[in-house]
Amino acid sequence: MTSTHVVAVCGSLRKRSYTRLALERSLDGVREAGGTGEVLDLREYDLPVLDADEDAQGDSEAVVERVGDADALVLGTPVYHGSYSGVLKNALDHCGFDEFDGKTVGLLAVAGGGFPVTALDHLRSVCRALNAWVLPHQAALPHVSAQFDGDELTNEGLDRRVRVLGRRVVEYATIEPDPATFEAGENVGAAGR
């Protein structure tokens, strides 16, 4: 039996990204649960804004393939104006049902301020529209610059929450898929689902 492979998608383009650091910590939890994992760093790809009239743009096929090949996903984002980042939205727009249908997804958000939860709610809605199974457990890191010392997440409670997110993604990667969501049924392109 092969181990569960998790792809952690980093929705931040910053060179020093707290989102990336937190995702790396979630992958420690993935490994603790017996899985393997890697960060899909969107900084490394030429991913133009989606043009739905084009079949492939830039490195979109490589991003879609890595997301699709994952057994489970962790989506990580900084909070921008109360929601998730445009770079993550664009990456998700390049993907679709083939990459998300029935897949287990964990959510992680970091914020400079104190209220990172709405970004997670918005990501949860997108994942439901793609018929993914989103973990009830999620990780939100408020006032994120104060939570790290160098590359280390020093807040023990947040560190535990992030590692548990990685463990839960592995534990629930093979959960029996739920029937299609109402949101997925109303999503354009959902015909036959």
Side-chain angles (χ1 to χ4, degrees):
M1 184 171 113
T2 61
S3 66
T4 299
H5 185 69
V6 177
V7 171
V9 182
C10 182
S12 171
L13 298 181
R14 288 183 182 258
K15 288 181 183 178
R16 174 157 169 69
S17 167
Y18 292 115
T19 305
R20 193 173 305 105
L21 291 172
L23 286 172
E24 290 286 357
R25 192 63 178 131
S26 76
L27 292 177
D28 290 340
V30 165
R31 288 183 282 278
E32 289 169 9
T36 61
E38 62 181 321
V39 172
L40 192 163
D41 191 343
L42 295 174
R43 289 181 41 176
E44 298 173 1
Y45 294 88
D46 169 30
L47 199 60
V49 174
L50 176 70
D51 179 346
D53 289 333
E54 299 290 328
D55 287 337
Q57 301 167 264
D59 296 328
S60 63
E61 289 179 322
V63 170
V64 168
E65 182 177 346
R66 285 188 64 194
V67 170
D69 286 347
D71 297 312
L73 299 165
V74 177
L75 302 180
T77 186
V79 175
Y80 293 142
H81 307 299
S83 193
Y84 60 99
S85 70
V87 68
L88 183 57
K89 172 68 168 130
N90 187 48
L92 296 174
D93 286 347
H94 281 280
C95 296
F97 283 101
D98 289 343
E99 292 72 42
F100 279 85
D101 192 14
K103 193 168 283 185
T104 298
V105 178
L107 303 177
L108 179 146
V110 305
F115 195 68
V117 178
T118 55
L120 297 171
D121 292 340
H122 297 168
L123 276 174
R124 186 172 299 278
S125 293
V126 170
C127 291
R128 287 178 54 83
L130 291 169
N131 208 41
W133 192 84
V134 186
L135 290 173
H137 179 85
Q138 57 191 19
L141 286 71
H143 307 290
V144 70
S145 64
Q147 309 301 344
F148 281 87
D149 182 8
D151 292 348
E152 295 299 316
L153 183 54
T154 58
N155 181 305
E156 290 180 22
L158 292 178
D159 181 68
R160 182 172 184 274
R161 187 156 194 87
V162 170
R163 284 185 296 109
V164 166
L165 180 69
R167 288 200 310 264
R168 294 292 185 264
V169 167
V170 172
E171 291 167 7
Y172 290 98
T174 58
I175 193 168
E176 181 181 339
D178 288 335
T181 64
F182 171 78
E183 297 90 338
E186 293 297 311
N187 192 359
V188 174
R193 298 224 181 263

